Amino acid sequence: MRLSPQGRGIGAAALFMSLGLVLSACGDGDSGGGGGDLTAPGPEVLDDLDEAVQVEFWHSMDAGNGQVLDQLIDDFNAENEGRVEVTGSFQGEYDDALANHRAAIQQGDTAELIMIFDLGTQFMIDSGQTVPAQSFIDEDGYDTGEIEDALLNYFTVDDELRSFPFNNSTPLMFINRDAFEEAGLDPDDPPTDLASIREAAEELTVTDDDGEIVQYGFGAPLYGWYIEQFMARAAAPYCDGANGRSDRATEVLFDGPEGVELVEWWEQMIEDDLALQIGRNIDDGMAAFTSGRAAITLESTGALSNYIEGSDFEVGAGYFPLISEGDPGGSIIGGASLWINGEGHTDEEVRGSWEFVEYLLTPEAQSTWHAGTGYLAVNTEGYDGPEAVERAEEFPQFEIAAEQLAESEVNENTAGCMMGVMSEARAAAEEGWEAALTSDATPEEAMSEAAERVGGTIEEYNASVDE
């Protein structure tokens, strides 16, 4: 199974259609939510234990990423023998993990700690099952100074950190450096906005003797996460209510000027034979780039290693592009965060879960995690660890991702839209985008129809939490 690092989550859309039962059973749906009455216990609850506290950790990391996580779990357990013992439990892809957690809430039997993808944040708050991350920070006086600001920004709601960032990524623009040089372009000065991508694509598109295109200048999958990125970098909210940060979101805004301009540009690039039409499959986008069919693409930082290992050319990286020159920039993260369940769990279990999370956020653990998986180092000091330094020497392109995130403006737009049906909204944006490229509908019509479709789902979800 290929788990996209940023968490595609499209399969989660159906989950939110039947959340009323869960949410009505969990709390009153106050916009604060998130277990407001649940607080973090102090370290004294782990004094004088007769046996180690058992912490079950549900996550979505398998294959190589799972092996790295298992090693971190083993290292923590070795350091805390007789005190806290963590058991990892793979729950499938992100949407599967959320479905399993929802079922566990209904059954009153949740895991102590769970990894939930970014699109599930509002539901986790509304469910009222977790101890807010801020409570642990306040209880221990935990210093978040070295935690990446952009990550804290995303998971902070109503001025409180709700969960702990962990396996997070950000998108970049990837380029075929060999193709750039052959076209007379400087690979160290890649395009920065849609207009300059088009200019580069005009030079990068190559035909054979029969006039068949063998290399397109640009090609990327129709992934809704990218629309969110483009809008954030243009300082445009993705949904109302200040991106759902000041009031519960009631509508999406991806059919606004920024979203329509992006889709219009994409359509024109394809019509002019400068861009390869890929569709919504991420793997198809990766194959188009690594095979040399597209000289410029967009993807998550988590794909960097696969791109380098799977390409016969030198891979370069640049900041995720702007819609227009002069846009303020910024970056929305993807991936998942860690939530500590409080409802139905003892103080010892809650405290043990926090101490494990605290360990995962150390520079040492983050160096291991970043180097072994390609995810961002949540704790920026992790980049100075020996494993991370070695990785940077092997993949200097990754420094672009760290720089882009460090320079990201921290505001409501780069925080991303907070909405209970964010997964459905992302799917709807993709559907509208695809319809504009494959039907007679104009980009404005297609995106407006998509936004209208998801509006009913937003209304239904909000009603389920009594808003």
Side-chain angles (χ1 to χ4, degrees):
M1 178 190 71
R2 178 179 180 266
L3 177 61
S4 183
Q6 63 275 20
R8 189 166 180 79
I10 297 306
L15 291 177
F16 297 105
M17 294 303 295
S18 58
L19 287 178
L21 175 62
V22 178
L23 294 174
S24 62
C26 293
D28 61 9
D30 181 80
S31 60
D37 296 331
L38 299 172
T39 57
E44 68 279 357
V45 301
L46 295 183
D47 292 343
D48 303 320
L49 294 171
D50 293 329
E51 57 184 3
V53 174
Q54 299 298 310
V55 172
E56 187 175 11
F57 175 27
W58 284 10
H59 63 81
S60 295
M61 298 290 102
D62 67 347
N65 291 350
Q67 292 174 8
V68 178
L69 184 57
D70 286 343
Q71 184 59 58
L72 290 174
I73 292 173
D74 290 344
D75 291 346
F76 173 83
N77 286 342
E79 292 179 11
N80 291 271
E81 187 174 0
R83 190 166 181 270
V84 179
E85 183 176 7
V86 177
T87 302
S89 177
F90 175 67
Q91 296 295 309
E93 295 194 33
Y94 289 140
D95 49 354
D96 296 325
L98 181 58
N100 292 343
H101 179 59
R102 188 193 70 164
I105 292 175
Q106 292 174 312
Q107 297 162 7
D109 186 24
T110 60
E112 283 73 25
L113 178 66
I114 184 167
M115 174 187 292
I116 294 292
F117 70 152
D118 53 339
L119 302 190
T121 299
Q122 185 64 63
F123 168 72
M124 292 298 290
I125 292 173
D126 291 334
S127 71
Q129 298 289 300
T130 62
V131 181
Q134 191 68 47
S135 184
F136 296 96
I137 292 169
D138 294 343
E139 171 65 30
D140 283 20
Y142 182 79
D143 183 7
T144 61
E146 298 305 325
I147 306 300
E148 187 68 64
D149 287 343
L151 302 179
L152 294 174
N153 185 39
Y154 188 96
F155 296 108
T156 295
V157 182
D158 293 338
D159 298 322
E160 286 193 341
L161 186 67
R162 295 308 182 110
S163 59
F164 296 98
F166 178 59
N167 49 305
N168 301 113
S169 58
T170 189
L172 291 177
M173 178 178 66
F174 293 99
I175 67 169
N176 180 332
R177 289 182 61 92
D178 294 359
F180 266 64
E181 292 176 353
E182 290 172 7
L185 301 174
D186 185 357
D188 293 320
D189 186 24
T192 57
D193 56 25
L194 298 184
S196 57
I197 289 178
R198 182 182 175 90
E199 291 177 4
E202 290 173 348
E203 303 299 323
L204 290 164
T205 300
V206 177
T207 59
D208 61 18
D209 293 339
D210 297 324
E212 295 292 326
I213 299 175
V214 295
Q215 175 181 283
Y216 288 85
F218 177 80
L222 308 182
Y223 185 12
W225 190 40
Y226 300 155
I227 292 181
E228 297 158 38
Q229 295 293 332
F230 277 111
M231 292 183 68
R233 291 176 69 71
Y238 187 85
C239 59
D240 65 346
N243 248 352
R245 301 284 170 162
S246 62
D247 296 296
R248 191 175 288 277
T250 62
E251 63 176 341
V252 291
L253 305 175
F254 58 64
D255 59 336
E258 297 81 10
V260 171
E261 181 179 352
L262 170 65
V263 176
E264 287 177 339
W265 175 87
W266 210 283
E267 180 182 50
Q268 195 62 52
M269 286 283 287
I270 292 172
E271 289 182 359
D272 293 343
D273 290 331
L274 297 174
L276 177 64
Q277 176 131 290
I278 291 175
R280 296 167 62 184
N281 188 294
I282 291 180
D283 289 333
D284 289 346
M286 175 175 287
F289 180 72
T290 56
S291 68
R293 286 280 285 165
I296 302 173
T297 194
L298 308 174
E299 243 288 15
S300 163
T301 52
L304 178 57
S305 297
N306 289 336
Y307 274 9
I308 292 174
E309 294 170 2
S311 303
D312 292 330
F313 51 82
E314 186 177 359
V315 175
Y319 282 13
F320 193 89
L322 306 171
I323 293 177
S324 303
E325 183 180 4
D327 284 349
S331 182
I332 295 178
I333 60 91
S337 61
L338 305 179
W339 298 78
I340 297 174
N341 282 308
E343 189 70 31
H345 296 280
T346 67
D347 283 349
E348 290 81 3
E349 291 167 344
V350 171
R351 182 70 197 187
S353 299
W354 158 236
E355 294 202 358
F356 174 58
V357 170
E358 189 175 18
Y359 164 78
L360 292 178
L361 299 181
T362 62
E364 296 78 13
Q366 282 296 299
S367 176
T368 299
W369 178 245
H370 164 68
T373 66
Y375 282 111
L376 297 163
V378 170
N379 185 325
T380 57
E381 291 185 349
Y383 291 121
D384 297 326
E387 301 97 337
V389 169
E390 182 178 349
R391 176 183 172 83
E393 292 174 352
E394 183 179 3
F395 302 130
Q397 301 94 331
F398 195 86
E399 294 181 14
I400 300 294
E403 292 169 2
Q404 174 179 277
L405 200 64
E407 294 177 11
S408 179
E409 294 192 14
V410 176
N411 53 46
E412 63 194 31
N413 296 316
T414 57
C417 172
M418 188 64 57
M419 184 165 56
V421 293
M422 189 60 198
S423 183
E424 286 194 336
R426 181 176 287 181
E430 292 180 358
E431 291 164 1
W433 193 358
E434 189 170 47
L437 303 182
T438 59
S439 73
D440 293 333
T442 67
E444 184 174 6
E445 291 169 344
M447 298 306 286
S448 293
E449 290 174 4
E452 185 176 349
R453 283 197 306 274
V454 80
T457 307
I458 298 172
E459 183 178 358
E460 182 176 344
Y461 178 89
N462 289 347
S464 76
V465 290
D466 299 327
E467 284 291 313

